[in-house]
Amino acid sequence: MAGQAAVPSSRHKPHEDIQALLTGTLFVALGVVMFRHTGLITGGTAGLAFLLHYATGWNFSLVFFAINLPFYGLAFQRMGWVFTLKTFAAVALLALFVQWVPQGITFGALSTGFAAVTGGLLMGAGMLMLFRHRASLGGFNVLVLYLQERFGWRAGHVQMAFDCAIVLAATAVVDWTQILWSVLGAVVLNMTLAINHRPGRYMAV
């Protein structure tokens, strides 16, 4: 109709999704590397991978990739094939970036407190990018996004509950001071999600 402004589509274009997957997983990888360098733990399947890495010395990236395999069935059933493919790509990219980032940057001095806060912010911002482009890092992220879409529960709050449980379980392999710093990192990460990713705000698909 003449004089009526066109309504822009909210759907992301393929190149926008690719940019978000690359940038989001790189941000998360930077946070993971900072956590690993200072002996911190995080939540979700990454937290489980950290636990196994610290306890056995197994490669973090391989463990993280393997732990997420069982969750793709739920992702496909609940969220569709596009979400599942993006999530698989994000998990694979994160596993690769965690291996690659230390080749491009090393830390001469990195305080535990700085790593907890900055690493938490980086991981939260990276996950936010993925969420806004209908992707996740698998595992609990799949369940968290499903619960938000199905029941309206805030992704950050639900993720925080899971993450705190993982961090508490880490007391068997990580010193209690590292646990306290890890809790701070988990709070920073999930408050970033809770504030910026909730029903009624930016939810472009």
Side-chain angles (χ1 to χ4, degrees):
M1 184 178 297
Q4 184 176 0
V7 178
S9 172
S10 63
R11 186 174 298 277
H12 291 117
K13 296 178 173 61
H15 72 274
E16 294 173 331
D17 286 334
I18 293 172
Q19 188 272 344
L21 287 173
L22 291 171
T23 306
T25 52
L26 179 58
F27 276 30
V28 176
L30 286 167
V32 167
V33 170
M34 294 175 73
F35 271 39
R36 186 173 62 182
H37 184 80
T38 51
L40 299 181
I41 198 83
T42 188
T45 49
L48 294 177
F50 266 127
L51 287 176
L52 290 172
H53 171 69
Y54 291 148
T56 67
W58 293 346
N59 182 278
F60 172 88
S61 294
L62 293 179
V63 173
F64 174 73
F65 185 82
I67 288 176
N68 278 285
L69 292 176
F71 289 93
Y72 295 121
L74 174 63
F76 177 76
Q77 181 182 5
R78 297 297 187 183
M79 311 295 286
W81 67 270
V82 174
F83 175 87
T84 304
L85 288 177
K86 289 180 182 179
T87 295
F88 181 86
V91 169
L93 283 170
L94 179 59
L96 290 173
F97 281 149
V98 169
Q99 291 293 106
W100 172 76
V101 164
Q103 308 303 316
I105 183 172
T106 58
F107 300 105
L110 178 63
S111 72
T112 305
F114 184 84
V117 174
T118 306
L121 288 171
L122 283 168
M123 288 190 281
M127 291 170 63
L128 183 64
M129 292 182 199
L130 298 176
F131 286 1
R132 287 179 170 178
H133 285 258
R134 296 284 295 175
S136 78
L137 289 175
F140 295 144
N141 285 174
V142 174
L143 181 59
V144 163
L145 287 179
Y146 168 72
L147 291 175
Q148 174 162 288
E149 293 198 357
R150 180 67 176 81
F151 300 107
W153 299 351
R154 290 189 187 178
H157 290 171
V158 179
Q159 185 76 45
M160 185 183 296
F162 286 135
D163 289 354
C164 288
I166 294 293
V167 170
L168 290 176
T171 54
V173 295
V174 179
D175 184 77
W176 70 270
T177 57
Q178 303 303 97
I179 294 293
L180 293 179
W181 285 117
S182 298
V183 170
L184 174 61
V187 170
V188 170
L189 187 162
N190 289 290
M191 286 306 297
T192 302
L193 295 179
I195 292 171
N196 295 284
H197 189 79
R198 66 174 69 174
R201 289 191 176 175
Y202 183 95
M203 296 288 289
V205 296

